[in-house]
């Protein structure tokens, strides 16, 4: 799937599917057990798109080969940092607001980031043609240009 679809498009679709699954989870918990199982399967499929599509985005980016490993390290570190942040934030939200709050909070963050990835991805184009473009940029210069 990652090889047939642009990485940024797959990342935005996967993140949106993850967010919608996250938002549906409280409703599934209140429903029959089969609905909860179906929601968890959908959530698992959406989660399974995260790493392959983010790695495809790095592979498709015009990053100098010397810096690709650093870019992948930044992507993988960001995932771990996101987990640490959510582990800190979730108990606070549950204690102060409701057990439903983290589901909708993270779903909103996921939909926002999916929209941002979709909005900033290159328009169309052939994947092979993109790979012929000159390389030579570091991951940090690409992040700085995105601002």
């Amino acid at each position: 799937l990652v090889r047939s679809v642009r990485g940024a498009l797959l990342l935005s679709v996967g993140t949106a599917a993850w967010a919608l699954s996250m938002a549906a989870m409280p409703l599934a918990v209140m429903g029959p057990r089969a609905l909860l199982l179906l929601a968890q399967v959908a959530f698992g499929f959406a989660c399974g798109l995260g790493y392959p599509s983010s790695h495809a985005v790095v592979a498709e980016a015009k990053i100098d080969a010397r810096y690709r490993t650093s870019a992948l390290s930044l992507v993988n570190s960001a995932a771990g940092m996101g987990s640490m942040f959510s582990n800190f934030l979730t108990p606070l939200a549950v204690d102060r607001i409701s057990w439903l709050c983290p589901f909708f909070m993270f779903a909103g963050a996921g939909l926002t980031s999916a929209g941002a990835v979709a909005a900033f991805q290159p328009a169309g184009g052939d994947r092979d043609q993109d790979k012929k473009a000159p390389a030579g940029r570091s991951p940090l210069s690409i992040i700085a240009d995105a601002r």
Side-chain angles (χ1 to χ4, degrees):
L1 186 61
V2 171
R3 289 186 178 153
S4 62
V5 179
R6 292 183 68 85
L9 176 62
L10 188 60
L11 182 61
S12 61
V13 168
T15 304
W18 175 90
L20 294 173
S21 298
M22 179 69 72
M25 202 62 69
L27 300 173
V29 167
M30 294 181 217
R33 188 169 290 175
L35 183 61
L36 178 60
L37 182 62
L38 182 65
Q40 288 179 338
V41 167
F43 183 75
F45 278 123
C47 287
L49 294 175
Y51 279 112
S53 59
S54 61
H55 290 187
V57 168
V58 171
E60 292 169 3
K62 295 165 187 69
I63 299 173
D64 189 339
R66 296 176 295 175
Y67 299 113
R68 276 213 184 115
T69 341
S70 298
L72 287 172
S73 296
L74 287 171
V75 167
N76 291 333
S77 297
M81 290 172 61
S83 295
M84 287 178 13
F85 179 71
S86 69
N87 287 339
F88 172 75
L89 195 59
T90 299
L92 295 175
V94 169
D95 286 344
R96 295 199 171 122
I97 302 171
S98 165
W99 71 272
L100 298 168
C101 180
F103 290 98
F104 297 122
M105 183 174 58
F106 292 123
L111 287 174
T112 302
S113 62
V117 169
F120 290 111
Q121 70 176 324
D126 181 25
R127 288 172 64 124
D128 293 331
Q129 181 181 5
D130 291 343
K131 289 182 181 177
K132 293 176 189 171
R137 300 177 66 197
S138 74
L140 296 178
S141 69
I142 292 173
I143 292 169
D145 289 346
R147 292 185 207 171

